[in-house]
Amino acid sequence: AILGGDIYPIHAATTHAAHALAYIPLIANQRSIGVLAVANYKQETQFSTRETRVLSALASYAASAISNAWLHQRIAAERNQLHTIINQSDNPILVVDHGRRIVVANAATRDVLHFPGANLEGERLQDYLRNKELLAFITQLPDTGLVRNMEVTI
């Protein structure tokens, strides 16, 4: 909503009055998440079409930034929850990416495989796992959707 032409009190506790007001909805994923409110105190004119377009673009960017921040916060919370569950497991859990780098190695894994207690995230698995047979088994690409198993002496 764009208001102009009159003087509008912004807040009962202020003595300032605006000559024009613009209220632009912040829309993210087809839902309203807020409002960008802009007041013109200086000029006794309404917002121009160009100014209105700029404010609409600014509102769109703000809505995207807010939505991305919420998404980032949610992902971080879910990641923390997953790490808590993995780290509290008594069973060894080791996750390795396609580059053979450690994504997760919980305490049980570190104990069983004699890994150091430090954070190993991002480290190369072959730098810590000396058992070549186990290393080959863990890092082989799956050729089928079937479960693979193997007995290895540690």
Side-chain angles (χ1 to χ4, degrees):
I2 307 294
L3 306 174
D6 292 321
I7 294 179
Y8 301 94
I10 296 298
H11 189 276
T14 183
T15 60
H16 298 322
H19 297 287
L21 299 173
Y23 296 99
I24 297 108
L26 302 177
I27 306 292
N29 302 318
Q30 286 111 20
R31 77 178 228 268
S32 177
I33 62 169
V35 175
L36 173 65
V38 180
N40 177 355
Y41 292 105
K42 299 197 182 226
Q43 298 176 345
E44 294 186 20
T45 61
Q46 296 181 1
F47 290 103
S48 69
T49 302
R50 181 182 174 284
E51 291 168 329
T52 302
R53 284 190 197 128
V54 169
L55 290 174
S56 293
L58 182 61
S60 178
Y61 292 132
S64 291
I66 291 167
S67 180
N68 287 341
W70 287 344
L71 181 59
H72 178 74
Q73 184 179 21
R74 193 176 93 221
I75 289 170
E78 289 175 3
R79 182 181 177 107
N80 288 340
Q81 181 181 18
L82 179 60
H83 275 284
T84 299
I85 292 168
I86 288 171
N87 287 328
Q88 289 179 351
S89 175
D90 293 333
N91 297 311
I93 299 173
L94 175 65
V95 179
V96 180
D97 67 14
H98 290 292
R100 297 181 178 180
R101 295 200 175 272
I102 298 170
V103 177
V104 174
N106 69 351
T109 298
R110 291 192 302 270
D111 288 345
V112 168
L113 298 178
H114 310 291
F115 287 175
N119 180 6
L120 300 175
E121 186 174 324
E123 297 291 329
R124 296 176 346 142
L125 180 62
Q126 58 267 30
D127 293 343
Y128 294 93
L129 185 57
R130 301 294 177 213
N131 185 316
K132 299 301 179 195
E133 188 180 16
L134 183 56
L135 179 64
F137 176 75
I138 291 173
T139 58
Q140 72 181 339
L141 293 174
D143 49 1
T144 67
L146 302 176
V147 174
R148 298 173 293 150
N149 60 44
M150 176 177 134
E151 259 188 60
V152 176
T153 303
I154 299 179

